[in-house]
Amino acid sequence: MSHPAPNPSSVSRRQFLREGMRLAAMTGAGAFVGLSSGRTGAREHYVWQIDPTKCVYCGNCATACVLKPSAVKCVQAYEICGYCDLCTGYFVPEPNALNTGAENQVCPTAAIERKFIEDPYYEYNIIESRCIGCAKCVEGCTRFGNGSFYLQVRHDRCVNCNECSIARVCAGDAFRRVPASNPYFLKTSAH
Amino acid sequence: MRALFPRSLFPALMGLLAALAGAASEMRFPPPEFETDYTMPGITTPPPRSLAMEYVDTALLVTALGLAAWLVHRRRSRRGLVALSVFSLVYFGFIRTGCICPIGAPQNVALGMFDPGYTIPLTALAFFLVPLVFSLFWGRTFCAAVCPHGALQDLVLIKPVKVPLWIEQGLGIVPFIFLGLGIWLAATGTAFIICRYDAFIPLFRMNGSVFGLALGGIFLAAALFIGRPFCRFLCPYGALLRLGSIVSRKAVRITPDYCTQCRLCEHSCPFGAIREPVKLPVTPNALAPERRRLTWLILALPVLIAGGAWLGSKLSVAAAKMHPTVALAEQFLAGDKAPAPATALPTPETRALGRAAETAPELIAAASEVRRRLGIGGWWFGGWVGLVIGARLISLSLRPNRTDFEPDRGACYACGRCYLACPNERVRVGLITPAEAAALQAHAPVPRPDVKTS
Amino acid sequence: MTAPSLPSSRADADLLRPLRATVWITACLAALAVLLLVVTHHRAHAHDPLKSPELAALKQRLLDEPRNEELKQQIRDLDLALRRSHSRLLNFYAFGRWLLLGSSVSFVLSAKAWGKLHARPPAPRLSPDAAERFTRLVRLARLTASTTALCTLIALTAIVVAATSPLPSAATDPEKLLARLRGEALEVPPLPPLAEFAANWPRFLGPAGNAFTPVAPEPLTFDAASGDGLLWKVSLSSPGFNSPIIWGNRVFLSGGDAARRSVAAFDLATGQRVWEQAVTGVPGSPAKAPEIPESTGFAASTMATDGLRVYAIFANGDLAAFTLDGRPVWSKHLGVPQNQYGHANSLAVWEGRVIVQLDQGDADAGLSKLIAFDGASGRVAWQVPRKVPESWASPIVVEAAGRAQIITLAGEFVIAHSAGDGAELWRVQELHGEIAPSPIFAGGFVLAVSPNDKLMAIRPDGLGEVTKTHVVWHADDGIPDVTSPVSNGELVFLVTSYGLLSCFDVSSGKKLWEHECDTDVHATPAVAGKRVYVLGGKGKVVVVEAARELKELATFDLGEAIFASPAFRDGRMVIRTAKSLLCVGTPPATASGGTSP
């Protein structure tokens, strides 16, 4: 009696039920694939990016990213840069002098490099390893200059969270999912 | 010197509201024409992870699942499963930082179904479906050794403490509710809460918010003593796999041969999934109250669903607050009555409110639309909660029919720990001789469940 | 035959001690790493090196001491130190992470090994009745499941009950809300008809902007000290050079200083203050008010009303709208106007919009603009940039040549904008100096004063640059520098700061007469019926007949200094003096009835 005979009718009934449900689940999964095939982009996956026309340079990018420091960095669109001597992205309001002294720079991490090209033009480069994405330079450049400094999600850093934690708090609602094949907003002319 | 403005005007400029300063900047300073042979650098665009790598991930997932199924059902090798777990933990966990994982994938699928602006990436669909299909055939092989969350908890388990089965069964409805909530909020584009409250992703990234890291730390510390706390009490995808596993073609069998009821395996499962044989009396006295209860519960099910649905539809106001658009609209409208105190420096909040003021009609319309959709989804979510509660109560009122010690099909993570607890298995793999097995079994008091019924 | 995991061998026993030590050491290391990370994070959060208030303070100090080289060096040193500590912080996080990972992995591995050596083989006991146990188990499980379910339902209900939202829920409500935000008239009362506009004194210098009312107040003379000839007099607490405006039975004016700006309403019949509202909490308005010269003050701009709401602007750039009964409707900060004397341009209204001439800075700075705000919502209906410097003249809106035109003066220009969209219609380049006198519209001409220079009449039907073609006449005698011209449509009166009152024929520009009032004058005079009132800066009031021949009617001393232009309605004259607000008129019992034009 150590191996009690199973109740054959009960077992087969359960077996049948299980088989039936599995079949139903398989059919359901198949139907689901068919249904979603229309909604599936085989060639696309998505990454997060900032629409610079909507960015209000609120500073959340520096603080809200799951990465510390943030995966959002300032980029320089050289094509539309005015190469100004008095760069409103580089210098604080009312700069003491137009030189690289710390008292004149707006960037808290000195992540912008100012390089003399020819009179009166200066080139400005973002040193990305230092940039924290605080957008202080972006505000100056966008409001009073050409807007060649702007924030972008850097995809060599971004871990592409399913729900971007900066997007959740973005003051300008500027974050969106973009196709990975075209992952940057490139400013070629200012708008 | 190329001065932009007289410098004395700068403070005034900074003081202007962005809206009035003109949110859109024109080309204020035409790009220069250089006289020297200066070459303009280009903007760098480091690409995201390539699509090919996503397919590699998918292929690895399928391979790992197949390997796990083979290790569970054919090789019956705990050691192999541990090795595979370590691989999954390192690759899907620490290297791929847990994104995209099947746990969050139901949200992507839900969003893709309802948001015309979002197409489901094929990889997300695959990550969602493949482990589910595997569960229909081979049980929770994904949980066994492929899921990095499961692997992490499984590998750090030092000294399992038994959680009483009645607690586990009672709390078992939580993952299902969490699943429903996640799908509801994702389908309406409100939030991806399954990802937001994921315990282990911050650990895999070794980075993240204090809240996320603390949650991970708490779950990990608990996992040292409680087997897989996240999987058992929270994981929404595990809830789906549980359903698949219940009807799976193959289930984990502890003994390779026949059960001698030696009870040696009884405590080998740290997740409390092994059920002892039980045979309930078939007397009218015993049957009648059970049948009555079952009838009542089945009759109550539609009531529970309807009540839940009604309650769920009322949740839209609260749920909508999680949507950034609604949150901003509400903040804006609340501020309409009591204006925020003036501050000289703009904060993210004032900037957001400034945007709200500029686009108020669009914002309010969008917020109302989000809430309307959440209201519709709320019926489904509430109904689902009612169904989960009713179904759980019904399942707890069904008669079991077990003659052997065997794992509960839904609760078993197919980790393979119980295999070597069975003397017959040890004989099969050649660890002991049949005679030694017989001696082991002789030490064990053999109960006679079939004759002890009253 | 042994159970696999007993510490049976000597080797295993030898392992126990070092293993236990490893477990403890790695556990302590992991705990230490967590502690260090938490403490560091907490400290970094409290004192973020990149948000150092010390550095900000030093930079602020540099603005005041731009040549302090030592201070500059100090800033550079501090900046370097802060950036170093920021980078140290990042390095520490990286180190702490790996320390934590390494120690945790070692802890888990050693603890598992240790646990394995300690594991006891299974020793199954004879169990009591399985069926009974099962029954008890499922009963308890049903109970916990029910409890969980109940908790869930209670929590959900609590959430439903607790959730309130300013966003309306009913399907129709959002539509109404949207309409309100769009400024559409769903429940909003329609604007009062133009006739009512003309019967009131809705803005600086009256409905037509030429400071004319057809009915003169009685009696002719009045005295602030004794109250003779006054209906009422109330003292004012809040300073301001703006002139009162009148709508219905309410007189409105604004006042303010660096500490507080406010708007007040008085009953026209009794002088009783009906309400006063401070303009506070304007989003974006600087907490510390800018420095404004006292000669202009914070409330030099006269308010305006469209009959539904009153609007006020202050020199710190705050613009506010209130309903006639004093409920705040909206407020905006337009940026602190860059104006050496302080912003003084008064507001104009047109078809429910409030028009702000925000001229500031140099012409080259491109800061000046003309903005029309939707009166109901405060949203910008349109705005156009103006390449003009700061100015102090107030715009007027006139219907001329089939167009609604906003006439503005600034810098060298008289510029007419279309009231509908702000587009420039025409301009005349003939002004000089600091433009304070406002333009008026009389006899079909736009009359503009170039301070201390000339008065000119312009035909308002031009397009583009019309200096050579549309200026009909000039007059260059007795031209004021502050006060605006006034007119009854036939004659134009000008008064200079030193009190010379001149009368011109509006159609020809011919000077008819002049009269020495013998007082300094800061307020624009007013024409009421057949009288011209000149209100002197020291309180002397001169009344002459508004006729082609000079005839002085009265000269008397009010007793209080006057800087604001009077307002009229129904044969009453409201004068704001430096200290008080007073109303000239006869009590209703003897008043001569309705006086609408």
Side-chain angles (χ1 to χ4, degrees):
Chain A
M1 277 296 278
S2 64
H3 317 300
N7 180 342
S9 75
S10 163
V11 166
S12 66
R13 191 165 68 228
R14 287 185 185 220
Q15 198 70 35
F16 176 76
L17 250 167
R18 190 170 288 151
E19 295 279 344
M21 279 165 77
R22 184 164 64 244
L23 205 68
M26 289 301 295
T27 319
F32 186 80
V33 171
L35 191 69
S36 57
S37 61
R39 309 266 335 112
T40 305
R43 310 211 57 78
E44 284 296 15
H45 61 138
Y46 289 88
V47 292
W48 291 99
Q49 196 47 275
I50 301 170
D51 180 351
T53 59
K54 296 182 85 181
C55 173
V56 295
Y57 20 87
C58 67
N60 273 340
C61 284
T63 53
C65 184
V66 295
L67 299 182
K68 313 269 181 285
S70 174
V72 173
K73 306 283 176 199
C74 176
V75 297
Q76 160 74 304
Y78 295 95
E79 272 184 56
I80 62 162
C81 177
Y83 287 79
C84 307
D85 183 8
L86 170 46
C87 170
T88 47
Y90 184 83
F91 289 111
V92 294
E94 290 194 76
N96 186 279
L98 298 187
N99 60 34
T100 57
E103 70 275 14
N104 302 320
Q105 289 192 38
V106 82
C107 180
T109 56
I112 310 175
E113 179 191 35
R114 169 178 154 100
K115 219 159 76 182
F116 177 74
I117 301 296
E118 63 179 58
D119 194 50
Y121 301 128
Y122 286 80
E123 180 188 278
Y124 296 91
N125 301 308
I126 306 289
I127 305 166
E128 211 166 278
S129 57
R130 291 190 198 161
C131 178
I132 56 167
C134 68
K136 289 197 168 83
C137 58
V138 178
E139 171 158 23
C141 183
T142 310
R143 286 176 57 180
F144 311 118
N146 284 358
S148 66
F149 284 161
Y150 63 106
L151 291 183
Q152 288 285 276
V153 174
R154 302 303 274 170
H155 291 296
D156 48 344
R157 297 167 191 272
C158 176
V159 290
N160 202 22
C161 297
N162 219 351
E163 180 190 46
C164 174
S165 63
I166 315 176
R168 266 165 57 198
V169 295
C170 177
D173 193 23
F175 273 75
R176 58 188 55 182
R177 290 184 177 92
V178 298
S181 53
N182 200 4
Y184 290 93
F185 281 87
L186 293 178
K187 278 192 177 182
T188 47
S189 63
H191 342 221
Chain B
M1 186 181 106
R2 234 163 98 91
L4 307 189
F5 301 109
R7 278 192 229 155
S8 59
L9 289 172
F10 240 108
L13 286 169
M14 297 307 270
L16 283 178
L17 278 178
L20 289 171
S25 63
E26 321 71 52
M27 203 72 129
R28 295 185 177 96
F29 309 100
E33 314 232 327
F34 294 103
E35 284 156 19
T36 52
D37 53 351
Y38 167 72
T39 47
M40 191 179 280
I43 184 170
T44 58
T45 54
R49 211 158 167 279
S50 73
L51 193 61
M53 286 309 287
E54 306 280 318
Y55 288 137
V56 168
D57 284 351
T58 314
L60 271 173
L61 175 80
V62 176
T63 312
L65 279 168
L67 192 59
W70 179 72
L71 286 168
V72 169
H73 295 291
R74 294 295 293 273
R75 276 284 303 195
R76 297 171 59 83
S77 164
R78 167 69 188 155
R79 198 168 282 185
L81 286 167
V82 169
L84 186 56
S85 290
V86 171
F87 165 78
S88 299
L89 176 63
V90 171
Y91 185 74
F92 290 114
F94 285 99
I95 294 177
R96 290 297 294 119
T97 61
C99 266
I100 178 181
C101 74
I103 298 175
Q107 300 171 119
N108 298 67
V109 173
L111 181 65
M113 286 290 170
F114 291 97
D115 181 356
Y118 180 76
T119 52
I120 314 163
L122 194 63
T123 44
L125 189 65
F127 265 71
F128 171 66
L129 272 181
V130 173
L132 263 180
V133 172
F134 264 79
S135 79
L136 289 173
F137 288 91
W138 297 287
R140 300 174 73 168
T141 48
F142 173 72
C143 303
V146 185
C147 175
H149 292 54
L152 178 64
Q153 296 170 85
D154 201 302
L155 291 173
V156 302
L157 181 60
I158 295 171
K159 184 160 177 48
V161 173
K162 212 171 159 72
V163 178
L165 202 55
W166 53 271
I167 291 188
E168 181 157 358
Q169 301 228 321
L171 291 177
I173 57 173
V174 174
F176 288 95
I177 294 175
F178 193 35
L179 174 70
L181 191 65
I183 288 180
W184 176 40
L185 295 179
T188 50
T190 305
F192 275 30
I193 54 157
I194 296 176
C195 295
R196 195 179 299 179
Y197 299 113
D198 189 295
F200 298 112
I201 299 281
L203 298 187
F204 293 145
R205 288 186 185 139
M206 297 199 284
N207 215 329
S209 67
V210 174
F211 171 80
L213 286 165
L215 192 70
I218 290 169
F219 266 104
L220 199 61
L224 297 175
F225 304 106
I226 300 171
R228 295 184 177 236
F230 178 79
C231 308
R232 280 153 90 185
F233 301 112
L234 206 56
C235 181
Y237 192 67
L240 279 177
L241 293 179
R242 173 186 286 265
L243 296 180
S245 182
I246 286 173
V247 296
S248 70
R249 175 186 287 272
K250 267 179 113 71
V252 169
R253 274 186 62 79
I254 300 171
T255 175
D257 194 354
Y258 61 93
C259 180
T260 59
Q261 316 259 328
C262 70
R263 304 182 76 94
L264 282 170
C265 63
E266 193 178 9
H267 298 290
S268 62
C269 182
F271 315 119
I274 296 178
R275 305 281 186 267
E276 62 180 339
V278 61
K279 189 160 171 52
L280 294 178
V282 209
T283 60
N285 268 355
L287 276 176
E290 283 179 34
R291 288 205 171 133
R292 223 175 12 248
R293 184 188 301 125
L294 196 60
T295 314
W296 275 115
L297 283 173
I298 289 173
L299 286 177
L301 188 63
V303 180
L304 272 170
I305 294 174
W310 177 81
L311 188 62
S313 72
K314 303 278 169 214
L315 277 169
S316 63
V317 175
K321 289 177 189 293
M322 298 182 83
H323 196 289
T325 302
V326 180
L328 180 63
E330 293 189 342
Q331 207 187 346
F332 172 67
L333 289 173
D336 227 20
K337 285 168 196 143
T343 47
L345 284 176
T347 63
E349 289 71 33
T350 58
R351 291 193 202 251
L353 285 173
R355 170 169 69 88
E358 290 301 310
T359 61
E362 296 81 359
L363 185 75
I364 306 278
S368 301
E369 172 62 13
V370 166
R371 192 192 278 173
R372 191 187 65 80
R373 290 173 55 180
L374 274 167
I376 297 169
W379 287 96
W380 290 93
F381 166 65
W384 168 254
V385 172
L387 174 69
V388 165
I389 293 170
R392 172 49 56 109
L393 288 175
I394 288 172
S395 80
L396 286 173
S397 305
L398 292 175
R399 295 199 137 214
N401 199 311
R402 270 191 300 269
T403 52
D404 292 351
F405 276 88
E406 59 183 30
D408 181 283
R409 281 171 158 263
C412 173
Y413 296 107
C415 69
R417 278 190 180 82
C418 52
Y419 291 151
L420 282 185
C422 178
N424 286 349
E425 172 75 2
R426 294 175 86 89
V427 171
R428 185 186 75 87
V429 298
L431 279 175
I432 52 174
T433 62
E436 286 171 329
L440 258 182
Q441 284 157 0
H443 280 293
V446 180
R448 307 292 296 269
D450 48 330
V451 293
K452 288 251 175 156
T453 49
S454 53
Chain C
M1 179 221 98
T2 49
S5 46
L6 271 179
S8 51
S9 68
R10 272 187 64 84
D12 280 356
D14 288 346
L15 266 177
L16 259 179
R17 278 173 69 87
L19 255 183
R20 195 172 60 190
T22 318
V23 170
W24 278 110
I25 290 169
T26 50
C28 288
L29 256 180
L32 184 74
V34 170
L35 187 75
L36 277 176
L37 283 170
V38 167
V39 169
T40 311
H41 175 82
H42 186 75
R43 281 181 47 192
H45 197 73
H47 308 282
D48 189 340
L50 298 184
K51 289 181 185 154
S52 158
E54 291 91 350
L55 188 67
L58 287 181
K59 283 189 172 181
Q60 191 61 41
R61 232 181 84 197
L62 188 69
L63 289 179
D64 300 331
E65 311 168 33
R67 296 196 188 284
N68 189 338
E69 292 302 320
E70 198 184 325
L71 183 60
K72 281 185 201 170
Q73 195 52 48
Q74 215 179 331
I75 291 176
R76 289 171 196 176
D77 293 344
L78 180 59
D79 177 74
L80 184 64
L82 290 170
R83 284 189 289 115
R84 277 203 177 124
S85 92
H86 171 70
S87 122
R88 264 203 307 276
L89 192 71
L90 293 183
N91 289 339
F92 180 79
Y93 280 142
F95 166 75
R97 283 203 282 266
W98 287 106
L99 177 69
L100 182 58
L101 182 70
S103 55
S104 308
V105 169
S106 331
F107 166 72
V108 169
L109 288 178
S110 54
K112 277 178 92 90
W114 191 50
K116 212 167 217 172
L117 294 181
H118 271 272
R120 295 177 185 287
R125 281 164 300 173
L126 193 67
S127 65
D129 186 359
E132 201 175 290
R133 204 147 19 114
F134 177 81
T135 313
R136 200 170 57 239
L137 174 87
V138 288
R139 193 185 305 133
L140 271 172
R142 274 197 299 269
L143 202 68
T144 37
S146 309
T147 314
T148 315
L150 202 65
C151 289
T152 309
L153 292 182
I154 289 172
L156 292 184
T157 312
I159 289 171
V160 168
V161 172
T164 56
S165 166
L167 190 68
S169 51
T172 52
D173 281 350
E175 287 306 311
K176 278 186 191 166
L177 187 67
L178 285 179
R180 180 165 77 76
L181 285 163
R182 281 198 208 102
E184 284 169 7
L186 251 190
E187 296 162 83
V188 181
L191 287 170
L194 281 176
E196 200 177 332
F197 203 72
N200 282 290
W201 201 264
R203 37 148 294 151
F204 183 54
L205 303 187
N210 47 11
F212 174 71
T213 184
V215 181
E218 294 299 340
L220 176 61
T221 63
F222 42 88
D223 182 35
S226 66
D228 288 348
L230 297 185
L231 273 179
W232 49 262
K233 177 186 164 194
V234 290
S235 63
L236 295 176
S237 52
S238 208
F241 292 117
N242 67 85
S243 306
I245 61 168
I246 302 177
W247 189 272
N249 58 348
R250 292 278 183 272
V251 181
F252 303 94
L253 45 80
S254 65
D257 48 32
R260 183 175 185 272
R261 273 79 50 200
S262 62
V263 172
F266 299 83
D267 191 294
L268 178 60
T270 63
Q272 192 190 3
R273 177 149 63 186
V274 187
W275 56 263
E276 188 192 347
Q277 284 281 8
V279 178
T280 54
V282 181
S285 182
K288 186 173 170 289
E291 286 189 12
I292 306 289
E294 267 187 36
S295 56
T296 307
F298 280 82
S301 307
T302 298
M303 296 171 62
T305 177
D306 52 17
L308 297 175
R309 290 163 293 269
V310 293
Y311 310 97
I313 190 169
F314 300 91
N316 67 345
D318 286 355
L319 174 67
F322 296 88
T323 59
L324 297 186
D325 49 5
R327 193 172 55 79
V329 185
W330 51 265
S331 62
K332 289 201 164 224
H333 178 66
L334 311 181
V336 177
Q338 293 305 296
N339 195 310
Q340 55 174 323
Y341 302 131
H343 183 81
N345 315 66
S346 297
L347 298 174
V349 288
W350 182 74
E351 295 205 341
R353 287 174 181 169
V354 53
I355 289 150
V356 181
Q357 184 180 343
L358 199 66
D359 290 343
Q360 51 179 331
D362 294 337
D364 297 337
L367 295 173
S368 302
K369 56 193 148 224
L370 187 68
I371 315 170
F373 293 94
D374 177 63
S377 65
R379 279 157 60 83
V380 173
W382 52 256
Q383 63 169 319
V384 287
R386 283 158 58 82
K387 218 172 161 59
V388 296
E390 52 189 6
S391 74
W392 299 267
S394 302
I396 58 169
V397 186
V398 300
E399 297 279 348
R403 307 177 289 203
Q405 313 185 12
I406 303 171
I407 313 292
T408 62
L409 309 186
E412 300 172 350
F413 302 102
V414 180
I415 305 176
H417 295 264
S418 161
D421 57 8
E424 182 174 323
L425 297 173
W426 52 263
R427 63 163 64 203
V428 165
Q429 182 174 13
E430 244 187 273
L431 305 186
H432 302 283
E434 294 174 336
I435 309 297
S438 303
I440 68 169
F441 184 59
F445 299 131
V446 168
L447 301 180
V449 167
S450 180
N452 291 329
D453 175 25
K454 61 193 163 200
L455 170 71
M456 69 199 76
I458 305 163
R459 272 192 292 120
D461 54 355
L463 263 182
E465 164 67 59
V466 296
T467 312
K468 295 215 163 55
T469 53
H470 283 67
V471 179
V472 181
W473 53 257
H474 287 105
D476 47 15
D477 203 13
I479 305 302
D481 63 342
V482 173
T483 61
S484 310
V486 298
S487 171
N488 59 4
E490 182 190 336
L491 303 171
V492 183
F493 304 93
L494 297 175
V495 65
T496 64
S497 297
Y498 48 88
L500 181 68
L501 176 68
S502 313
C503 174
F504 297 85
D505 181 277
V506 77
S507 52
S508 66
K510 188 170 156 258
K511 184 165 175 176
L512 299 176
W513 50 259
E514 64 178 39
H515 176 62
E516 183 55 65
C517 295
D518 198 22
T519 176
D520 57 331
V521 178
H522 307 294
T524 298
V527 187
K530 279 290 185 191
R531 296 176 194 157
V532 180
Y533 285 86
V534 177
L535 307 171
K538 294 199 175 64
K540 181 174 178 185
V541 180
V542 177
V543 188
V544 297
E545 191 166 276
R548 301 185 81 87
E549 269 82 49
L550 171 66
K551 181 183 176 193
E552 188 175 302
L553 298 176
T555 301
F556 56 92
D557 192 3
L558 178 64
E560 284 179 21
I562 304 168
F563 302 97
S565 194
F568 298 86
R569 183 189 156 97
D570 295 345
R572 290 176 193 153
M573 171 160 71
V574 177
I575 302 173
R576 179 184 198 160
T577 70
K579 291 185 291 190
S580 49
L581 185 68
L582 45 88
C583 178
V584 179
T586 42
T590 53
S592 53
T595 48
S596 24

